[in-house]
């Protein structure tokens, strides 16, 4: 029996998610959007694309939560994206209201789903989603770290002139300017990045500029596009998480997960390495961090906490 993935939000990322899921024949797809025509039009277009790809999946578009009943996976992109010059935090007010509606919609129709939240500002929105929906914390996770790590990996591959698949890396912390790329947990062609620094295969100045470009990766694309934000890499990142759940791959992936003491953090979502399998977030991996990494991680946690307290000021329901 094929699995069912409902995509709440059929915009740039939602449509790309639907197409990637259908090409991979991962699951049947329900594209949900308040703009019903967008959802139905993209579902029909991608359904016709399956006749080219030869994919055997069903797609429907809807604005009725009933059609998302008993989803195995729900991926949420409902919300507004940034405009040039905006920070992710500027989206809080608008997207908080939207995520409250989405939480109401999914908690009744898919209480057992694995929920992947993509909407920004990610760390606070995924936490609000869990509090509004009351779904278990190990079944609600945010997508950001895979995207940030993919940007770090791509820039490193360009600098070192080696294929991206030969680079393993990790970006932790909040999905914002305080995110923490982790050079000490990065290997290129199986060799530690710290070793490459020592032998000057890559110099500190280039690495620092790559870390800065990673942090600004989203803003760079927004400036170029002028309307909308990145969507191909975010969608690919969301699909990797959904696939690890549906196929029980138990991949270790950097995601915004609920921390209850791990890394010295309690009752907060933040980007850490987790194992995703058929039970959802099955384990939080606690890395040993250098003093620098721990300081940067704690700074990132502080930024998420501050933004969450702004969210509580907007909606007291989040204080419960
Ligand atoms: O790494 C990450 N997590 C980020 C997330 C990477 C890139 C983009 N990031 C954020 O994802 C971005 O800042 C936005 O908050 C979301 C979605 O970005 P996208 O580019 O897909 O935005 P679109 O194209 O505007 O699509 C949003 C859709 C649009 O079709 C709206 O009609 C719909 O959301 N929408 C809703 N759907 C359901 N329910 C409600 N209430 C609703 N409101 C709007």
């Amino acid at each position: 029996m094929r699995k069912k993935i409902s995509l709440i939000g059929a915009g740039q990322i939602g449509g790309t998610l639907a197409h990637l899921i259908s090409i991979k024949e991962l699951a049947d797809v329900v594209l949900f959007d308040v703009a019903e025509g967008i959802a139905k039009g993209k579902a029909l277009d991608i359904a016709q694309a399956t006749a080219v790809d030869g994919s055997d999946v069903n797609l429907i578009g809807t604005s009725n939560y009933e059609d998302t009943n008993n989803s195995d996976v729900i991926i949420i992109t409902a919300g507004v994206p940034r405009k040039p010059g905006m920070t992710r935090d500027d989206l809080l007010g608008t997207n908080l209201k939207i995520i409250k509606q989405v939480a109401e919609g999914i908690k009744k129709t898919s209480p057992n789903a694995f929920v992947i939240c993509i909407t920004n500002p990610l760390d606070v929105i995924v936490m609000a989603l869990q509090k509004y929906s009351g779904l278990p914390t190990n079944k609600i996770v945010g997508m950001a770290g895979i995207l940030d790590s993919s940007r770090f990996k791509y820039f490193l591959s360009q600098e070192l002139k080696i294929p991206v698949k030969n680079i393993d890396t990790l970006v932790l912390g909040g999905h914002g300017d305080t995110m923490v790329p982790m050079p000490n947990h990065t290997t290129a062609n199986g060799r530690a990045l710290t070793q490459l620094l020592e032998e000057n295969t890559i110099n500190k100045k280039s690495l620092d500029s790559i870390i800065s470009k990673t942090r600004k990766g989203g803003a760079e694309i927004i400036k170029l596009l002028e309307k909308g934000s990145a969507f191909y890499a975010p969608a690919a990142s969301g699909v990797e998480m959904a696939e690890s759940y549906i196929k029980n791959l138990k991949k270790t992936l950097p995601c915004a997960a609920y921390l209850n003491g791990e890394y010295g953090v309690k009752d907060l979502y933040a980007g850490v390495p987790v194992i995703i399998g058929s039970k959802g977030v099955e384990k939080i991996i606690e890395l040993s961090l250098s003093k620098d990494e721990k300081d940067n991680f704690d700074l990132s946690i502080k930024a998420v906490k501050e933004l969450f307290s702004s969210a509580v000021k907007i909606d007291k329901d989040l204080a419960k």
Side-chain angles (χ1 to χ4, degrees):
M1 169 80 168
R2 223 183 353 252
K3 300 289 187 185
K4 176 178 179 178
I5 298 181
S6 289
L7 305 174
I8 312 297
Q12 297 282 73
I13 301 177
T16 309
L17 283 165
H19 194 203
L20 289 173
I21 291 163
S22 81
I23 290 170
K24 292 170 87 86
E25 293 186 303
L26 191 56
D28 288 337
V29 175
V30 177
L31 260 170
F32 174 101
D33 202 297
V34 285
E36 185 179 72
I38 298 247
K40 287 184 183 291
K42 289 189 179 183
L44 184 56
D45 186 5
I46 298 169
Q48 290 161 4
T50 65
V52 180
D53 311 322
S55 315
D56 181 19
V57 290
N58 297 314
L59 294 107
I60 64 158
T62 184
S63 60
N64 179 344
Y65 272 106
E66 290 301 306
D67 293 321
T68 69
N69 262 342
N70 302 320
S71 298
D72 297 287
V73 174
I74 292 181
I75 309 179
I76 299 168
T77 60
V80 296
R82 287 191 275 172
K83 294 185 174 59
M86 281 175 82
T87 68
R88 294 178 179 92
D89 296 0
D90 292 336
L91 302 175
L92 181 64
T94 310
N95 287 349
L96 207 51
K97 286 193 195 73
I98 291 174
I99 214 72
K100 193 166 193 174
Q101 282 176 17
V102 174
E104 282 309 310
I106 65 172
K107 70 181 185 183
K108 291 188 286 289
T109 53
S110 296
N112 303 314
F114 180 55
V115 181
I116 300 167
C117 182
I118 296 186
T119 302
N120 267 331
L122 190 269
D123 306 279
V124 167
I125 292 293
V126 65
M127 185 139 100
L129 176 72
Q130 192 280 323
K131 289 186 182 293
Y132 286 141
S133 67
L135 295 180
T137 52
N138 68 314
K139 298 293 284 294
I140 294 196
V141 67
M143 187 298 287
I146 299 174
L147 173 65
D148 296 329
S149 303
S150 73
R151 288 170 171 161
F152 190 39
K153 201 182 279 190
Y154 171 70
F155 293 135
L156 278 172
S157 85
Q158 294 293 295
E159 173 70 22
L160 296 168
K161 298 192 181 18
I162 62 173
V164 282
K165 67 178 185 303
N166 294 3
I167 296 179
D168 252 333
T169 189
L170 213 52
V171 175
L172 300 192
H175 180 50
D177 293 347
T178 61
M179 66 176 76
V180 189
M182 305 280 281
N184 298 345
H185 296 268
T186 301
T187 59
N189 282 338
R191 300 185 63 220
L193 188 60
T194 41
Q195 254 180 303
L196 303 181
L197 273 169
E198 273 159 34
E199 67 192 38
N200 210 31
T201 303
I202 179 171
N203 63 51
K204 182 88 172 53
K205 190 162 167 289
S206 311
L207 179 60
D208 288 348
S209 107
I210 285 171
I211 288 174
S212 161
K213 263 178 83 68
T214 301
R215 290 202 166 108
K216 298 192 180 75
E220 181 181 12
I221 290 176
I222 289 166
K223 192 157 171 278
L224 289 165
L225 293 179
E226 291 182 9
K227 188 185 173 322
S229 52
F231 54 98
Y232 292 115
S237 304
V239 169
E240 179 166 38
M241 295 164 73
E243 187 175 43
S244 195
Y245 175 77
I246 285 178
K247 295 183 177 174
N248 193 25
L249 300 179
K250 297 191 188 305
K251 280 187 169 184
T252 298
L253 299 166
C255 303
Y258 181 75
L259 300 178
N260 195 20
E262 300 86 351
Y263 291 91
V265 179
K266 255 182 117 46
D267 191 26
L268 193 80
Y269 271 80
V272 292
V274 299
I275 291 177
I276 293 184
S278 56
K279 295 188 187 61
V281 174
E282 298 185 349
K283 188 172 171 15
I284 306 248
I285 307 289
E286 285 213 69
L287 300 171
S288 55
L289 302 182
S290 68
K291 184 177 174 327
D292 248 9
E293 287 165 343
K294 184 77 174 78
D295 291 349
N296 288 331
F297 183 77
D298 289 347
L299 259 180
S300 193
I301 294 295
K302 187 165 165 288
V304 174
K305 278 182 182 163
E306 279 164 8
L307 192 63
F308 188 70
S309 53
S310 312
V312 171
K313 286 196 191 87
I314 296 170
D315 185 357
K316 297 271 175 290
D317 286 355
L318 288 170
K320 287 174 193 148

